[in-house]
Amino acid sequence: MNNRAIDYITEDFYESLSFMDGEMPDLDAVRDLFYEEGTLFNLSFGKPIIYSISSFIGSIEDSIQDGQLTQFMQRELYSKTEIFGRVAQRTSVYEYSFAYHEIENLPKGINYIQFIQVDDLWRITSMAWNDESANYRVPAKLVES
């Protein structure tokens, strides 16, 4: 099955969140990629942080407004998508930076993204991610070319 549509949605998600100093991320585009409110789980800390797409966007807006977040870059390094009928699961290895500079050894993580197809359009229903830490490392086989 062709997963180009899911490739594009994932790319749009990461690109829409990314922005340079003095700019704003395209959070309306992020919202449009989700089916209804979706559910997002950040498992990079001690306890899971759970968001709907509205609360996720609100959190980003608040961080920008109070000056904690001035720029951000996130991009996919590796992916594997499995599709069955109108459901899909994507393993997405990403790297990110709060400085938006091309530097080596950026922090990485893995995002598991679930999609459904509604009216011939793929939409994100949920995602759960974990950034690398001392306890969790992205396997080398998922980031080596």
Side-chain angles (χ1 to χ4, degrees):
M1 174 157 284
N2 186 341
N3 42 329
R4 278 194 187 267
I6 291 173
D7 292 342
Y8 292 138
I9 290 171
T10 306
E11 183 178 327
D12 286 350
F13 176 77
Y14 290 134
E15 284 183 6
S16 296
L17 285 179
S18 300
F19 67 103
M20 302 272 299
D21 193 18
E23 298 177 354
M24 290 293 291
D26 190 352
L27 299 175
D28 288 335
V30 172
R31 181 184 307 280
D32 291 343
L33 299 173
F34 281 77
Y35 182 75
E36 296 187 358
E37 277 298 306
T39 308
L40 299 92
F41 300 88
N42 181 347
L43 296 152
S44 300
F45 304 101
K47 286 185 166 184
I49 302 171
I50 304 168
Y51 301 98
S52 66
I53 190 57
S54 294
S55 65
F56 179 73
I57 287 171
S59 174
I60 293 169
E61 290 171 334
D62 290 347
S63 294
I64 292 170
Q65 189 171 48
D66 67 17
Q68 290 181 23
L69 184 61
T70 59
Q71 55 188 354
F72 182 69
M73 181 281 301
Q74 187 172 34
R75 63 183 164 216
E76 189 172 65
L77 301 174
Y78 165 88
S79 68
K80 179 182 178 187
T81 302
E82 297 176 28
I83 300 172
F84 180 77
R86 299 184 316 138
V87 297
Q89 160 76 27
R90 185 178 188 99
T91 301
S92 176
V93 176
Y94 59 86
E95 66 181 358
Y96 64 97
S97 171
F98 294 101
Y100 213 103
H101 295 290
E102 292 290 329
I103 56 176
E104 293 189 25
N105 300 319
L106 290 173
K108 296 173 185 58
I110 298 180
N111 191 356
Y112 293 99
I113 310 170
Q114 293 73 45
F115 301 83
I116 62 170
Q117 190 178 38
V118 178
D119 299 327
D120 294 328
L121 295 173
W122 287 99
R123 290 290 175 250
I124 299 169
T125 57
S126 65
M127 57 177 52
W129 69 92
N130 205 123
D131 294 339
E132 281 188 320
S133 67
N135 295 325
Y136 303 106
R137 306 300 299 169
V138 172
K141 68 181 181 179
L142 299 184
V143 291
E144 295 174 351
S145 303

